[in-house]
Amino acid sequence: MAEISVKLDDKKVDDELSNINLRLLDLSDVDDFMVWATDDKVSKFCSWETYTSREDAVKYITDFIIPHPWFRAICVGDRPIGTISVRPNSGGDSCRGEIGYALASQYWGKGIATRAVEMTAAAVFGEWPHLERLEGLVDVNNKGSQRVLEKAGFQREGVLRKYLVLKGKTRDMVMFSLLSTEVLIPI
C-alpha cells in the first residue's frame, strides 16, 4: 500500500501541518497512539474506552488494527496524530462501508480530520470498486465530527433515535453518507 499524501494550501495552516498523509499503523507507533488514546476528550464519542496502559494499546494494535482491512494512521510527516478506518459490510450490504476516525485533540479545528476523510474516501472507493456508499455515524452531541463529514462532502441524512448504546447510555446518532459518484478529490 502506497502512502497517501496531500499538501494543504491554506496559508493559515502551520508549516508542521502542511504534509498530511495516511499510512499503515504498526507497533512502532504505540507511543504516538497513546497520545490520543489516553485523552478523554478524544475517546468521549468513540466506541473504545480511554486507554490507561501501553500493554492494552499494543494488544489493540496487534489484534485489531494490523489485521483490519482498511485502517490507517493520520500523519503529519511520518508522525501519527490519529487514525482513520473503513469497516466494510458483507453479504447484501457489501456496497456499504462505515468510516471512523480519531485525532489528537491538539490538532482539532485545523482541517486535518476533514482532509483525512477526503483522502480516505478517494482511496477506499478506488481500492474497493464494489463499494458505492460510505457511511459515518456521529453522536448528535459531537458537533465537531458532524462538521468534519459535512466539509468532506458527506450528506446529512437524519437522526437515528436511540440507535446504539455508547459507554452505558443509549445514544441518538446522525447518519451521514457519501456515494462513490460524489468523491471529487484525486489522491
Side-chain angles (χ1 to χ4, degrees):
M1 167 71 197
E3 182 179 278
I4 303 165
S5 298
V6 68
K7 197 111 169 122
L8 296 177
D9 297 326
D10 188 343
K11 300 278 188 225
K12 297 177 188 172
V13 177
D14 296 332
D15 288 338
E16 179 189 36
L17 304 178
S18 65
N19 187 19
I20 306 303
N21 63 81
L22 307 177
R23 66 164 174 77
L24 295 174
L25 188 88
D26 61 41
L27 285 175
S28 67
D29 297 315
V30 69
D31 292 329
D32 291 317
F33 177 85
M34 291 296 288
V35 170
W36 67 86
T38 59
D39 185 344
D40 290 333
K41 292 185 302 247
V42 174
S43 66
K44 180 178 181 179
F45 295 111
C46 295
S47 59
W48 44 270
E49 296 294 333
T50 304
Y51 280 80
T52 57
S53 82
R54 190 174 193 278
E55 293 75 28
D56 288 344
V58 167
K59 182 170 175 36
Y60 180 70
I61 292 169
T62 302
D63 295 348
F64 183 77
I65 292 177
I66 292 173
H68 193 283
W70 212 99
F71 201 110
R72 303 292 184 267
I74 301 169
C75 298
V76 172
D78 194 46
R79 192 170 120 251
I81 61 168
T83 58
I84 192 161
S85 65
V86 176
R87 182 180 52 84
N89 290 347
S90 61
D93 294 331
S94 63
C95 63
R96 295 186 290 124
E98 185 177 338
I99 194 167
Y101 46 89
L103 188 68
S105 60
Q106 63 264 36
Y107 294 97
W108 291 359
K110 299 177 184 286
I112 294 170
T114 299
R115 188 55 61 100
V117 167
E118 292 169 339
M119 293 165 64
T120 297
V124 82
F125 281 131
E127 293 171 25
W128 295 347
H130 66 281
L131 196 70
E132 296 180 52
R133 176 184 166 95
L134 195 52
E135 297 174 340
L137 281 170
V138 181
D139 189 290
V140 293
N141 295 315
N142 190 346
K143 302 298 184 192
S145 191
Q146 291 178 45
R147 188 71 188 122
V148 164
L149 293 176
E150 289 169 346
K151 287 172 57 180
F154 281 65
Q155 299 297 311
R156 184 179 200 260
E157 295 186 338
V159 175
L160 304 173
R161 300 178 306 151
K162 304 294 183 196
Y163 188 74
L164 59 80
V165 177
L166 182 65
K167 302 194 171 136
K169 294 183 180 178
T170 306
R171 307 298 306 178
D172 294 347
M173 303 296 284
V174 182
M175 173 64 81
F176 289 87
S177 71
L178 181 72
L179 303 180
S180 59
T181 55
E182 297 169 335
V183 175
L184 300 177
I185 76 158
I187 55 171

